[in-house]
């Protein structure tokens, strides 16, 4: 079942047309990677879907509602932006308690999210005293407390290190599995994002270049081959005995599920500096026209 439908969706800012007649649908329970170069129109599209800005023309329906006009949708959809917007003089605990009260949510569930994102030690800290990455984690917890049917996340992991990014990805994967939550997520780190996604929506210069299942774009075995740069190659290789691993200096070529591989390394003290999948990157860039 489609939960988001767009037909000839267009957005102009003055004389500049940021989105040019986009038509697509997003299936319930999917994780859709929204990809494209800087300035492609990704953020504009996600803000229209979220009801933060109004389309110029065309149609957009989210859970059957017009996101710009709907009063029901904010209760069913959560927005996560690249820059956290939180009350600066409240503590993390106060922000979470206000959110659980506002959305009539389970406080114990909120605390489980806090624990999963390693925020327990920050509960008594004021938002203004947190690092940008920690603020982003708090924003993510705040957004998930109401158990939304749809999550729209625009560069939600931009300020996070590799380990923290995968903590967030793991939460998204669990939400999809347990709650059948539909997730749209953009990131400048395409390899990581597409590794956890089921579908891809590619935009370039405001034009929709590709929409569909990732598996129909790229063979599954190629999706699971990654180059990972680490600080301790010997330890990493010993931890990944059950995977196919080749060593190139401080870089590992590994085949397998990226989320599981990263978790194995990070949980055992191996620091990851960089992840890439050159085949994946080239395939996506070719489809989207992203050079």
């Amino acid at each position: 079942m489609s939960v988001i439908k767009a037909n000839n969706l267009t957005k102009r800012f003055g004389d500049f047309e940021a989105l040019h007649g986009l038509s697509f649908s997003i299936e319930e329970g999917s994780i859709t990677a929204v990809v494209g170069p800087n300035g492609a129109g990704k953020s504009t599209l996600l803000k229209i879907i979220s009801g933060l800005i109004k389309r110029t023309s065309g149609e957009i329906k989210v859970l059957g509602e017009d996101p710009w006009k709907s009063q029901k949708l904010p209760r069913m959809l959560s927005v996560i932006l690249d820059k956290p917007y939180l009350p600066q003089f409240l503590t993390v605990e106060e922000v979470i308690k206000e959110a659980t009260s506002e959305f009539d949510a389970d406080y114990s569930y909120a605390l489980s999210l806090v624990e999963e994102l390693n925020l327990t030690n920050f509960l008594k800290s004021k938002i203004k005293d947190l690092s940008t990455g920690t603020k982003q984690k708090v924003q993510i917890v705040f957004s998930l407390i109401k158990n939304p049917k749809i999550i729209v996340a625009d560069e939600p992991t931009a300020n996070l290190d590799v380990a923290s990014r995968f903590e967030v990805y793991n939460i998204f994967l669990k939400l999809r599995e347990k709650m059948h939550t539909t997730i749209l997520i953009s990131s400048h780190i395409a390899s990581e994002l597409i590794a956890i996604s089921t579908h891809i929506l590619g935009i370039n210069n405001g034009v929709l270049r590709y929409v569909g299942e990732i598996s129909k774009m790229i063979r599954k075995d190629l999706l699971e081959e990654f180059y990972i740069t680490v600080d301790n190659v010997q330890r990493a290789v010993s931890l990944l005995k059950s995977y196919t691993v080749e060593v190139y200096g401080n870089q590992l070529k590994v085949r397998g599920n990226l989320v599981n591989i990263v978790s194995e390394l990070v949980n055992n003290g191996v620091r990851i500096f960089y992840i890439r999948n050159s085949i994946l990157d080239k395939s996506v860039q070719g489809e989207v026209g992203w050079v």
Side-chain angles (χ1 to χ4, degrees), residues 66-114:
D66 181 335
W68 180 250
K69 297 177 180 178
S70 177
Q71 295 181 340
K72 298 178 183 176
L73 200 56
R75 290 275 174 175
M76 299 184 285
L77 181 147
S78 280
V79 185
I80 304 171
L81 302 174
D82 60 338
K83 295 179 181 178
Y85 294 93
L86 298 165
Q88 295 297 298
F89 290 93
L90 294 182
T91 66
V92 172
E93 187 175 43
E94 288 168 339
V95 167
I96 290 168
K97 283 183 176 178
E98 285 202 4
T100 54
S101 175
E102 171 68 21
F103 300 117
D104 193 25
D106 184 350
Y107 186 63
S108 62
Y109 171 64
L111 288 180
S112 72
L113 293 172
V114 166

Side-chain angles (χ1 to χ4, degrees), residues 18-275:
L19 298 177
H20 312 287
L22 275 60
S23 297
F24 62 88
S25 63
I26 302 294
E27 295 301 306
E28 182 181 16
S30 61
I31 299 181
T32 298
V34 182
V35 301
N38 289 336
K42 302 188 298 295
S43 292
T44 298
L45 173 60
L46 293 179
K47 286 176 180 176
I48 290 174
I49 291 171
S50 304
L52 298 177
I53 61 175
K54 187 179 181 181
R55 70 191 184 282
T56 301
S57 61
E59 294 181 338
I60 178 78
K61 293 290 184 181
V62 180
L63 296 171
E65 301 274 325
D66 181 335
W68 180 250
K69 297 177 180 178
S70 177
Q71 295 181 340
K72 298 178 183 176
L73 200 56
R75 290 275 174 175
M76 299 184 285
L77 181 147
S78 280
V79 185
I80 304 171
L81 302 174
D82 60 338
K83 295 179 181 178
Y85 294 93
L86 298 165
Q88 295 297 298
F89 290 93
L90 294 182
T91 66
V92 172
E93 187 175 43
E94 288 168 339
V95 167
I96 290 168
K97 283 183 176 178
E98 285 202 4
T100 54
S101 175
E102 171 68 21
F103 300 117
D104 193 25
D106 184 350
Y107 186 63
S108 62
Y109 171 64
L111 288 180
S112 72
L113 293 172
V114 166
E115 186 175 352
E116 195 155 0
L117 286 174
N118 294 310
L119 289 170
T120 305
N121 292 337
F122 297 99
L123 280 171
K124 301 299 182 183
S125 301
K126 290 186 177 181
I127 299 297
K128 69 180 183 66
D129 297 326
L130 302 177
S131 69
T132 303
T134 304
K135 287 179 183 177
Q136 184 70 315
K137 287 185 178 184
V138 176
Q139 181 192 205
I140 290 166
V141 171
F142 180 87
S143 300
L144 301 183
I145 283 172
K146 60 182 173 182
N147 279 320
K149 293 183 179 296
I150 297 176
I151 297 168
V152 177
D154 188 10
E155 295 276 2
T157 61
N159 301 306
L160 305 179
D161 59 23
V162 172
S164 296
R165 291 200 298 270
F166 276 83
E167 288 169 359
V168 174
Y169 295 152
N170 267 314
I171 288 176
F172 287 163
L173 288 168
K174 288 176 183 177
L175 284 170
R176 175 179 179 254
E177 181 182 348
K178 294 179 181 178
M179 310 295 293
H180 213 50
T181 308
T182 305
I183 301 165
L184 284 83
I185 178 171
S186 71
S187 173
H188 63 287
I189 309 172
S191 293
E192 290 181 9
L193 179 57
I194 293 170
I196 65 132
S197 300
T198 60
H199 292 69
I200 184 169
L201 191 155
I203 307 176
N204 195 0
N205 293 322
V207 176
L208 183 65
R209 298 294 300 268
Y210 185 91
V211 62
E213 296 178 28
I214 288 174
S215 60
K216 292 183 179 178
M217 177 194 288
I218 307 162
R219 283 179 14 222
K220 189 176 188 299
D221 59 323
L222 298 181
L223 269 173
E224 295 193 339
E225 179 178 280
F226 294 89
Y227 290 86
I228 304 175
T229 306
V230 298
D231 66 342
N232 190 329
V233 171
Q234 187 174 356
R235 179 154 176 74
V237 171
S238 68
L239 290 168
L240 300 177
K241 288 180 180 177
S242 60
Y243 298 89
T244 302
V245 181
E246 298 175 34
V247 179
Y248 302 90
N250 68 336
Q251 192 173 81
L252 308 177
K253 180 181 177 182
V254 189
R255 282 186 177 273
N257 182 284
L258 182 61
V259 176
N260 294 340
I261 290 167
V262 169
S263 295
E264 185 70 30
L265 295 176
V266 170
N267 291 340
N268 287 281
V270 176
R271 188 178 179 191
I272 300 172
F273 298 111
Y274 188 66
I275 298 170

